[in-house]
PDB file of all heavy atoms in Angstrom:
ATOM      1  N   ALA A  71      -6.525   5.607  -8.429  1.00 98.00           N
ATOM      2  CA  ALA A  71      -7.170   4.376  -7.973  1.00 98.00           C
ATOM      3  C   ALA A  71      -8.372   4.685  -7.080  1.00 98.00           C
ATOM      4  O   ALA A  71      -9.432   4.069  -7.212  1.00 98.00           O
ATOM      5  CB  ALA A  71      -6.165   3.493  -7.234  1.00 98.00           C
ATOM      6  N   CYS A  74     -10.926   7.391  -9.575  1.00 94.00           N
ATOM      7  CA  CYS A  74     -11.428   6.841 -10.843  1.00 94.00           C
ATOM      8  C   CYS A  74     -11.767   5.358 -10.730  1.00 94.00           C
ATOM      9  O   CYS A  74     -12.803   4.919 -11.210  1.00 94.00           O
ATOM     10  CB  CYS A  74     -10.402   7.058 -11.953  1.00 94.00           C
ATOM     11  SG  CYS A  74      -9.950   8.785 -12.185  1.00 94.00           S
ATOM     12  N   GLY A  75     -10.876   4.592 -10.108  1.00 96.00           N
ATOM     13  CA  GLY A  75     -11.094   3.148 -10.004  1.00 96.00           C
ATOM     14  C   GLY A  75     -12.173   2.772  -9.009  1.00 96.00           C
ATOM     15  O   GLY A  75     -13.138   2.087  -9.345  1.00 96.00           O
ATOM     16  N   ASN A  76     -12.007   3.232  -7.784  1.00 98.00           N
ATOM     17  CA  ASN A  76     -12.936   2.853  -6.719  1.00 98.00           C
ATOM     18  C   ASN A  76     -14.081   3.846  -6.521  1.00 98.00           C
ATOM     19  O   ASN A  76     -14.944   3.637  -5.667  1.00 98.00           O
ATOM     20  CB  ASN A  76     -12.186   2.673  -5.398  1.00 98.00           C
ATOM     21  CG  ASN A  76     -11.322   1.433  -5.395  1.00 98.00           C
ATOM     22  OD1 ASN A  76     -11.468   0.546  -6.234  1.00 98.00           O
ATOM     23  ND2 ASN A  76     -10.388   1.363  -4.452  1.00 98.00           N
ATOM     24  N   LYS A  82     -14.110   0.063  -0.578  1.00 98.00           N
ATOM     25  CA  LYS A  82     -13.116  -0.511  -1.479  1.00 98.00           C
ATOM     26  C   LYS A  82     -11.718  -0.057  -1.063  1.00 98.00           C
ATOM     27  O   LYS A  82     -11.549   1.024  -0.506  1.00 98.00           O
ATOM     28  CB  LYS A  82     -13.394  -0.101  -2.921  1.00 98.00           C
ATOM     29  CG  LYS A  82     -14.691  -0.687  -3.453  1.00 98.00           C
ATOM     30  CD  LYS A  82     -14.914  -0.296  -4.894  1.00 98.00           C
ATOM     31  CE  LYS A  82     -16.202  -0.926  -5.419  1.00 98.00           C
ATOM     32  NZ  LYS A  82     -16.440  -0.544  -6.819  1.00 98.00           N
ATOM     33  N   ASP A 101      -6.632  -1.196  -7.771  1.00 98.00           N
ATOM     34  CA  ASP A 101      -7.896  -0.824  -7.147  1.00 98.00           C
ATOM     35  C   ASP A 101      -8.913  -1.938  -7.376  1.00 98.00           C
ATOM     36  O   ASP A 101      -8.628  -2.916  -8.051  1.00 98.00           O
ATOM     37  CB  ASP A 101      -8.401   0.530  -7.673  1.00 98.00           C
ATOM     38  CG  ASP A 101      -8.652   0.537  -9.166  1.00 98.00           C
ATOM     39  OD1 ASP A 101      -9.490  -0.267  -9.643  1.00 98.00           O
ATOM     40  OD2 ASP A 101      -8.024   1.349  -9.874  1.00 98.00           O
ATOM     41  N   GLU A 102     -10.098  -1.793  -6.802  1.00 98.00           N
ATOM     42  CA  GLU A 102     -11.154  -2.796  -6.919  1.00 98.00           C
ATOM     43  C   GLU A 102     -12.212  -2.383  -7.935  1.00 98.00           C
ATOM     44  O   GLU A 102     -13.308  -2.935  -7.950  1.00 98.00           O
ATOM     45  CB  GLU A 102     -11.789  -3.027  -5.543  1.00 98.00           C
ATOM     46  CG  GLU A 102     -10.816  -3.597  -4.531  1.00 98.00           C
ATOM     47  CD  GLU A 102     -11.435  -3.771  -3.153  1.00 98.00           C
ATOM     48  OE1 GLU A 102     -12.674  -3.705  -3.024  1.00 98.00           O
ATOM     49  OE2 GLU A 102     -10.670  -3.969  -2.193  1.00 98.00           O
ATOM     50  N   GLY A 103     -11.880  -1.425  -8.778  1.00 96.00           N
ATOM     51  CA  GLY A 103     -12.831  -0.928  -9.763  1.00 96.00           C
ATOM     52  C   GLY A 103     -12.889  -1.790 -11.012  1.00 96.00           C
ATOM     53  O   GLY A 103     -12.204  -2.805 -11.127  1.00 96.00           O
ATOM     54  N   PRO A 104     -13.701  -1.362 -11.983  1.00 96.00           N
ATOM     55  CA  PRO A 104     -13.915  -2.132 -13.205  1.00 96.00           C
ATOM     56  C   PRO A 104     -12.750  -2.070 -14.186  1.00 96.00           C
ATOM     57  O   PRO A 104     -12.705  -2.816 -15.155  1.00 96.00           O
ATOM     58  CB  PRO A 104     -15.158  -1.480 -13.812  1.00 96.00           C
ATOM     59  CG  PRO A 104     -15.115  -0.069 -13.316  1.00 96.00           C
ATOM     60  CD  PRO A 104     -14.528  -0.159 -11.928  1.00 96.00           C
ATOM     61  N   GLY A 105     -11.800  -1.176 -13.956  1.00 95.00           N
ATOM     62  CA  GLY A 105     -10.675  -1.027 -14.864  1.00 95.00           C
ATOM     63  C   GLY A 105     -10.988  -0.044 -15.989  1.00 95.00           C
ATOM     64  O   GLY A 105     -12.090   0.499 -16.075  1.00 95.00           O
ATOM     65  N   PHE A 106      -9.993   0.188 -16.838  1.00 93.00           N
ATOM     66  CA  PHE A 106     -10.152   1.126 -17.945  1.00 93.00           C
ATOM     67  C   PHE A 106      -9.132   0.794 -19.020  1.00 93.00           C
ATOM     68  O   PHE A 106      -8.221  -0.004 -18.816  1.00 93.00           O
ATOM     69  CB  PHE A 106      -9.976   2.572 -17.453  1.00 93.00           C
ATOM     70  CG  PHE A 106      -8.536   2.962 -17.207  1.00 93.00           C
ATOM     71  CD1 PHE A 106      -7.905   3.880 -18.036  1.00 93.00           C
ATOM     72  CD2 PHE A 106      -7.813   2.417 -16.159  1.00 93.00           C
ATOM     73  CE1 PHE A 106      -6.585   4.239 -17.825  1.00 93.00           C
ATOM     74  CE2 PHE A 106      -6.483   2.765 -15.936  1.00 93.00           C
ATOM     75  CZ  PHE A 106      -5.878   3.687 -16.779  1.00 93.00           C
ATOM     76  N   ASP A 107      -9.283   1.419 -20.164  1.00 93.00           N
ATOM     77  CA  ASP A 107      -8.351   1.251 -21.270  1.00 93.00           C
ATOM     78  C   ASP A 107      -7.420   2.462 -21.271  1.00 93.00           C
ATOM     79  O   ASP A 107      -7.841   3.562 -21.647  1.00 93.00           O
ATOM     80  CB  ASP A 107      -9.108   1.153 -22.589  1.00 93.00           C
ATOM     81  CG  ASP A 107      -8.201   1.021 -23.804  1.00 93.00           C
ATOM     82  OD1 ASP A 107      -6.962   1.096 -23.656  1.00 93.00           O
ATOM     83  OD2 ASP A 107      -8.731   0.846 -24.905  1.00 93.00           O
ATOM     84  N   PRO A 108      -6.163   2.297 -20.849  1.00 91.00           N
ATOM     85  CA  PRO A 108      -5.258   3.444 -20.776  1.00 91.00           C
ATOM     86  C   PRO A 108      -5.015   4.106 -22.131  1.00 91.00           C
ATOM     87  O   PRO A 108      -4.700   5.294 -22.197  1.00 91.00           O
ATOM     88  CB  PRO A 108      -3.964   2.870 -20.201  1.00 91.00           C
ATOM     89  CG  PRO A 108      -4.099   1.407 -20.243  1.00 91.00           C
ATOM     90  CD  PRO A 108      -5.538   1.069 -20.383  1.00 91.00           C
ATOM     91  N   PHE A 138       0.204  -1.683 -17.617  1.00 98.00           N
ATOM     92  CA  PHE A 138      -1.099  -1.925 -17.004  1.00 98.00           C
ATOM     93  C   PHE A 138      -1.470  -3.391 -17.180  1.00 98.00           C
ATOM     94  O   PHE A 138      -1.035  -4.024 -18.145  1.00 98.00           O
ATOM     95  CB  PHE A 138      -2.188  -1.073 -17.689  1.00 98.00           C
ATOM     96  CG  PHE A 138      -1.990   0.399 -17.500  1.00 98.00           C
ATOM     97  CD1 PHE A 138      -1.208   1.120 -18.387  1.00 98.00           C
ATOM     98  CD2 PHE A 138      -2.578   1.056 -16.439  1.00 98.00           C
ATOM     99  CE1 PHE A 138      -1.022   2.487 -18.219  1.00 98.00           C
ATOM    100  CE2 PHE A 138      -2.388   2.418 -16.258  1.00 98.00           C
ATOM    101  CZ  PHE A 138      -1.607   3.128 -17.152  1.00 98.00           C
ATOM    102  N   ASN A 139      -2.302  -3.913 -16.267  1.00 98.00           N
ATOM    103  CA  ASN A 139      -2.826  -5.251 -16.491  1.00 98.00           C
ATOM    104  C   ASN A 139      -3.930  -5.177 -17.544  1.00 98.00           C
ATOM    105  O   ASN A 139      -4.369  -4.091 -17.933  1.00 98.00           O
ATOM    106  CB  ASN A 139      -3.310  -5.901 -15.186  1.00 98.00           C
ATOM    107  CG  ASN A 139      -4.533  -5.240 -14.583  1.00 98.00           C
ATOM    108  OD1 ASN A 139      -4.930  -4.141 -14.949  1.00 98.00           O
ATOM    109  ND2 ASN A 139      -5.143  -5.916 -13.619  1.00 98.00           N
ATOM    110  N   GLU A 140      -4.381  -6.322 -18.002  1.00 96.00           N
ATOM    111  CA  GLU A 140      -5.370  -6.362 -19.080  1.00 96.00           C
ATOM    112  C   GLU A 140      -6.683  -5.691 -18.681  1.00 96.00           C
ATOM    113  O   GLU A 140      -7.310  -4.996 -19.482  1.00 96.00           O
ATOM    114  CB  GLU A 140      -5.623  -7.813 -19.495  1.00 96.00           C
ATOM    115  CG  GLU A 140      -6.469  -7.936 -20.738  1.00 96.00           C
ATOM    116  CD  GLU A 140      -6.578  -9.372 -21.216  1.00 96.00           C
ATOM    117  OE1 GLU A 140      -5.595 -10.122 -21.110  1.00 96.00           O
ATOM    118  OE2 GLU A 140      -7.668  -9.733 -21.697  1.00 96.00           O
ATOM    119  N   LYS A 141      -7.092  -5.888 -17.432  1.00 96.00           N
ATOM    120  CA  LYS A 141      -8.349  -5.297 -16.964  1.00 96.00           C
ATOM    121  C   LYS A 141      -8.259  -3.774 -16.850  1.00 96.00           C
ATOM    122  O   LYS A 141      -9.248  -3.076 -17.031  1.00 96.00           O
ATOM    123  CB  LYS A 141      -8.719  -5.906 -15.606  1.00 96.00           C
ATOM    124  CG  LYS A 141     -10.025  -5.422 -15.029  1.00 96.00           C
ATOM    125  CD  LYS A 141     -10.349  -6.126 -13.720  1.00 96.00           C
ATOM    126  CE  LYS A 141     -11.642  -5.598 -13.117  1.00 96.00           C
ATOM    127  NZ  LYS A 141     -11.941  -6.228 -11.834  1.00 96.00           N
ATOM    128  N   GLY A 142      -7.062  -3.282 -16.549  1.00 96.00           N
ATOM    129  CA  GLY A 142      -6.887  -1.842 -16.401  1.00 96.00           C
ATOM    130  C   GLY A 142      -7.107  -1.339 -14.988  1.00 96.00           C
ATOM    131  O   GLY A 142      -7.327  -0.156 -14.782  1.00 96.00           O
ATOM    132  N   ASN A 143      -6.997  -2.229 -13.999  1.00 98.00           N
ATOM    133  CA  ASN A 143      -7.144  -1.773 -12.615  1.00 98.00           C
ATOM    134  C   ASN A 143      -5.844  -1.916 -11.814  1.00 98.00           C
ATOM    135  O   ASN A 143      -5.838  -1.737 -10.609  1.00 98.00           O
ATOM    136  CB  ASN A 143      -8.297  -2.490 -11.904  1.00 98.00           C
ATOM    137  CG  ASN A 143      -8.005  -3.949 -11.640  1.00 98.00           C
ATOM    138  OD1 ASN A 143      -7.207  -4.586 -12.342  1.00 98.00           O
ATOM    139  ND2 ASN A 143      -8.652  -4.501 -10.637  1.00 98.00           N
ATOM    140  N   THR A 144      -4.747  -2.207 -12.509  1.00 98.00           N
ATOM    141  CA  THR A 144      -3.424  -2.240 -11.884  1.00 98.00           C
ATOM    142  C   THR A 144      -2.437  -1.550 -12.813  1.00 98.00           C
ATOM    143  O   THR A 144      -2.415  -1.806 -14.012  1.00 98.00           O
ATOM    144  CB  THR A 144      -2.948  -3.680 -11.624  1.00 98.00           C
ATOM    145  OG1 THR A 144      -3.859  -4.315 -10.724  1.00 98.00           O
ATOM    146  CG2 THR A 144      -1.550  -3.697 -10.999  1.00 98.00           C
TER     147      THR A 144
END
Side-chain angles (χ1 to χ4, degrees):
C74 303
N76 289 344
K82 294 182 178 179
D101 61 60
E102 297 178 14
F106 76 111
D107 178 355
F138 295 88
N139 68 346
E140 189 174 324
K141 182 177 178 182
N143 70 334
T144 298

